[in-house]
Amino acid sequence: DSGVTQTPKHLITATGQRVTLRCSPRSGDLSVYWYQQSLDQGLQFLIQYYNGEERAKGNILERFSAQQFPDLHSELNLSSLELGDSALYFCASSPRGLGEGEQYFGPGTRLTVT
Amino acid sequence: TQLLEQSPQFLSIQEGENLTVYCNSSSVFSSLQWYRQEPGEGPVLLVTVVTGGEVKKLKRLTFQFGDARKDSSLHITAAQPGDTGLYLCAGAGKTSYDKVIFGPGTSLSVIP
């Protein structure tokens, strides 16, 4: 158990819908990272927050957004969902932050768009 | 653009065999991590290497960081079925604003 929690574990929704994925980092970790993993794309970095502020962006679509709250939990919002958004979404946290390679991953949310 | 390449992409071996997987880049990293991921689960951090030429051992796993800090290798001795999984390397940039880059992974299958 990494100490990072993600909810829900599974999510099935229809195209065009909007969903919110939730992540609670390890106690004391200030950085939260979001990743998308599909079979053909590997682990793709989406976005990073550090102590409530956006710090780095990866290949995140404009239909996706995220935020980190004062209690350091984070949410990833996915809207106007398409079939191609079906993937595993991971959240990771790290103690120090920025550009930090040592990350602790949650169990993931498996999103299926039908 | 920083890229990490891993080889081989897939590896299937018999229990008890030795193997080495590689992680290569043209970029210099301040540190490099290895993770193992099992199907449907999140990656689990195995090790961090920081110094060029550094060697770290974790039971039957030996990790080496290249002298120029651009590449790394993972050697597994006497592989066991429990070693099966996706091995990912990740590189951290030189500044605190650099994104961490993940390689595509090596999928290892150890057959009993």
Side-chain angles (χ1 to χ4, degrees):
Chain A
D1 185 355
S2 67
V4 178
T5 60
Q6 289 187 250
T7 57
K9 190 161 179 60
H10 301 278
L11 196 49
I12 302 174
T13 188
T15 54
Q17 295 298 305
R18 172 189 169 95
V19 298
T20 297
L21 312 184
R22 195 179 192 279
C23 168
S24 292
R26 294 188 324 160
S27 177
D29 284 359
L30 298 178
S31 270
V32 168
Y33 307 76
W34 285 98
Y35 294 88
Q36 179 191 58
Q37 188 177 43
S38 55
L39 283 174
D40 58 345
Q41 291 287 330
L43 195 65
Q44 299 292 314
F45 169 70
L46 296 178
I47 197 165
Q48 178 200 354
Y49 280 83
Y50 177 76
N51 202 21
E53 293 186 2
E54 181 185 306
R55 192 52 70 109
K57 260 187 176 180
N59 301 320
I60 188 167
L61 300 172
E62 286 192 9
R63 300 184 285 108
F64 296 1
S65 65
Q67 55 184 330
Q68 187 180 27
F69 295 88
D71 66 353
L72 300 178
H73 90 271
S74 178
E75 293 181 354
L76 178 66
N77 300 296
L78 315 176
S79 62
S80 302
L81 285 167
E82 301 175 359
L83 295 177
D85 297 327
S86 296
L88 270 167
Y89 290 85
F90 290 105
C91 162
S93 72
S94 66
R96 291 172 290 278
L98 318 177
E100 175 58 67
E102 289 190 350
Q103 299 179 17
Y104 297 87
F105 283 78
T109 292
R110 181 176 292 279
L111 174 66
T112 303
V113 182
T114 62
Chain B
T1 302
Q2 291 181 316
L3 284 175
L4 273 173
E5 298 176 341
Q6 290 189 245
S7 61
Q9 187 178 359
F10 299 98
L11 189 56
S12 181
I13 62 170
Q14 294 291 130
E15 180 176 0
E17 292 183 356
N18 301 332
L19 66 117
T20 302
V21 298
Y22 300 91
C23 174
N24 297 288
S25 175
S26 58
S27 302
V28 176
F29 294 102
S30 62
S31 68
L32 192 139
Q33 286 73 36
W34 283 93
Y35 293 81
R36 180 170 64 219
Q37 183 180 22
E38 298 190 20
E41 299 183 8
V44 175
L45 179 66
L46 296 175
V47 78
T48 292
V49 285
V50 177
T51 306
E54 182 177 5
V55 176
K56 280 192 174 179
K57 292 191 175 185
L58 184 65
K59 297 184 181 177
R60 294 175 293 99
L61 279 59
T62 301
F63 305 85
Q64 183 160 8
F65 202 12
D67 291 341
R69 292 185 291 139
K70 293 183 179 181
D71 54 79
S72 181
S73 64
L74 158 58
H75 181 80
I76 301 179
T77 304
Q80 298 178 2
D83 296 327
T84 294
L86 180 68
Y87 288 82
L88 296 160
C89 66
K94 289 186 282 188
T95 75
S96 61
Y97 286 83
D98 287 336
K99 292 176 285 200
V100 172
I101 307 297
F102 276 83
T106 291
S107 180
L108 171 65
S109 177
V110 181
I111 302 165

